[in-house]
Amino acid sequence: MTDNEDSFRITRRATIGGAAAALATAAVPAVARSPRRRPNILYIMADDLGYADLSCYGRRDFETPVLDRLATEGLRFTNAYANSAVCTATRVGLITGRYQYRLPVGLEEPLAFRQNIGLPPSHPTLPSQLAKAGYRTSLIGKWHLGSLPDYDPLKSGYQTFWGIRSGGVDYYTHQTSGGRPDLWDGPTPVEKTGYITDLIADRAIEEIRAASAASAPWFMSLHFTAPHWPWEGPGDEAESAHIAQSKDPKALFHYDGGTAATYAAMVRRLDYQVGRVLEALRAARVDGDTIVVFTSDNGGERFSDTWPFSGRKTELLEGGLRIPAIVRWPGVTKAGSTSDAQVISMDWLPTFTAAAGAAPDAQFPSDGVDIAPALRGGALGERTLFWRYKNHAQRAARRGNLKYLKIGENEFLFDVAADPLERANLKDRNAPAFAALKAEWEAWNATMLPLDPQSYTHGFTASELADHIGVDD
């Protein structure tokens, strides 16, 4: 039996098991949340998962039965956006509820090499505000917001941390691109044998059991590394060993590795492990009291499906920004519903803090909005969303169906509802709208920090960036 055949066999079992777990969860009637108890919050984030990488979003060559089932039990957004087209910047937007460009760490696209940059422990965060409101808080999985000793999840509101600190590790050795071990239990490095997707799920299940046995409500950030490179599926220990034996420090980036089949195995294993986590909620009898969100940190990577969009991670085309987002909130979301409301990563902070009854921080007001009206099936007020990337070489703004986009010296206006591939430039046909959106972007940008000339992506050409972008992202 070949390695690929063995990987498919293992993954097929995982998919069947995941479907069974999802069906078991679905078999339990939805329990109305007690008005006396604030909801638990389980926020699950994949890494580099493309918009159409789940079959409920259109993936055509494999299925994701667990997440498909979650969508049938809750609400699926079709206009969900990441705060950035890369990892660290989105995570800054998520945890602070603000545009990442307000903080030096948010200018790092991605965060690499600079030990003196990270999320300031003094800055209020989603977990710190929930902890202040009496929530038990945990981060299981990927951090990527700064290195010890100055920056740490435990200094930014999480009471428990188990996972990795960097942008990516080998799925079996748990080492970074420099061969450094990167698996932690709080401040303590740990060694543990196993596939990292499985280990993260195992630890999440342990935390759900412990948190659910306590009296306080809880918040968990469950940040998987899948399906981020290196392209290693279940049963791919031989590929891991090949990378470990290579003397090339860039081997982990896997420029010449992976296959579509391996990527499918990685996503299906992620789907299966999410099923185990959801089953743990049911077993602890807290599924009726728990908000569950599943989404991604940015658009798709090399093997991703981003149809019907063009572009990918690192690009402000829709494929680099549009992400899947599924929400199951008993008593709030309607089973099997969809929403075309435009939501973004930084919206989760005001949404979750409002659900928890936590007071907003007056000194650091969120740039996001509470999206509960959309979760209930209503609409959100129209607003403009903004992005920039790589030394102003890329900029974008969306309001309604219109999107202003600049790449290098080329400027565009697209109707991304009518033209999701962003091919028909309406800049001249609708000159007033183009000018208005461009001016709005300029005014917004003037309120943000200027880009840091020392940041990792500053000054790279497109070809140079292609050679270097993998570092710790």
Side-chain angles (χ1 to χ4, degrees), residues 142-442:
K142 178 173 170 177
W143 166 241
H144 205 200
L145 291 176
S147 303
L148 289 171
D150 296 325
Y151 309 105
D152 184 73
L154 301 180
K155 295 182 178 182
S156 289
Y158 291 111
Q159 297 158 353
T160 301
F161 166 61
W162 193 96
I164 72 168
R165 298 179 184 277
S166 67
V169 297
D170 185 274
Y171 281 73
Y172 291 93
T173 66
H174 318 139
Q175 294 179 353
T176 69
S177 55
R180 300 183 304 275
D182 186 26
L183 190 60
W184 303 79
D185 186 349
T188 306
V190 296
E191 294 184 9
K192 200 166 181 68
T193 301
Y195 189 63
I196 190 68
T197 304
D198 299 349
L199 297 181
I200 289 172
D202 289 345
R203 187 57 182 233
I205 291 168
E206 291 179 17
E207 175 61 19
I208 286 171
R209 290 170 179 164
S212 299
S215 58
W218 52 263
F219 166 66
M220 179 188 295
S221 292
L222 177 52
H223 296 180
F224 284 98
T225 63
H228 192 289
W229 52 254
W231 318 115
E232 298 170 351
D236 280 348
E237 289 94 336
E239 185 65 25
S240 173
H242 174 76
I243 291 174
Q245 292 166 6
S246 173
K247 295 182 180 181
D248 182 359
K250 294 184 179 180
L252 190 68
F253 307 157
H254 233 181
Y255 295 131
D256 60 349
T259 64
T262 298
Y263 186 79
M266 295 171 73
V267 175
R268 291 163 68 185
R269 190 66 172 192
L270 170 66
D271 182 74
Y272 166 66
Q273 293 299 354
V274 170
R276 292 183 60 230
V277 171
L278 297 180
E279 170 62 17
L281 294 179
R282 188 203 66 80
R285 299 185 177 182
V286 296
D287 51 328
D289 287 317
T290 303
I291 303 169
V292 178
V293 175
F294 178 88
T295 189
S296 181
D297 61 346
N298 48 248
E301 249 277 21
R302 178 173 157 196
F303 296 106
S304 290
D305 189 345
T306 61
W307 181 260
F309 312 118
S310 60
R312 46 158 281 178
K313 175 182 175 181
T314 75
E315 298 172 346
L316 298 189
L317 292 158
E318 291 293 284
L321 293 171
R322 198 86 71 97
I323 52 176
I326 301 169
V327 184
R328 186 183 72 190
W329 185 348
V332 175
T333 55
K334 180 181 177 181
S337 59
T338 60
S339 173
D340 64 359
Q342 295 166 29
V343 300
I344 192 168
S345 309
M346 63 188 177
D347 290 338
W348 296 115
L349 183 146
T351 302
F352 291 158
T353 53
D361 192 293
Q363 289 187 303
F364 297 89
S366 177
D367 293 314
V369 300
D370 180 355
I371 64 171
L375 295 174
R376 294 189 180 97
L380 298 178
E382 189 172 75
R383 57 177 169 158
T384 307
L385 301 176
F386 301 98
W387 298 268
R388 71 184 194 196
Y389 184 65
K390 225 186 85 183
N391 195 23
H392 290 209
Q394 297 182 63
R395 55 178 69 174
R398 179 174 176 181
R399 186 174 185 86
N401 290 337
L402 295 180
K403 178 180 175 183
Y404 163 65
L405 178 67
K406 182 177 181 182
I407 303 176
E409 298 305 314
N410 299 308
E411 294 184 301
F412 309 89
L413 181 71
F414 296 117
D415 181 331
V416 291
D419 177 29
L421 281 173
E422 297 172 278
R423 289 293 183 265
N425 190 359
L426 306 178
K427 179 179 69 170
D428 296 328
R429 179 178 293 189
N430 196 347
F434 170 79
L437 260 182
K438 179 178 179 179
E440 196 174 356
W441 188 93
E442 296 283 3

Side-chain angles (χ1 to χ4, degrees), residues 31-80:
V31 179
R33 180 166 56 89
S34 167
R36 295 174 298 170
R37 179 174 175 83
R38 292 174 292 168
N40 305 314
I41 303 168
L42 173 60
Y43 179 86
I44 309 172
M45 187 160 66
D47 199 341
D48 292 355
L49 188 75
Y51 176 83
D53 276 341
L54 306 181
S55 42
C56 60
Y57 275 89
R59 188 81 199 200
R60 291 154 286 184
D61 54 334
F62 61 84
E63 294 183 348
T64 50
V66 170
L67 291 164
D68 292 356
R69 174 68 64 176
L70 185 67
T72 67
E73 297 169 349
L75 177 144
R76 183 171 60 89
F77 282 106
T78 58
N79 277 286

Side-chain angles (χ1 to χ4, degrees), residues 83 87-101 103 105-106 119 145:
N83 256 63
C87 171
T88 294
T90 288
R91 291 164 199 266
V92 174
L94 168 71
I95 200 170
T96 65
R98 313 179 85 211
Y99 279 112
Q100 60 271 21
Y101 321 105
L103 290 168
V105 65
L119 180 66
L145 291 176

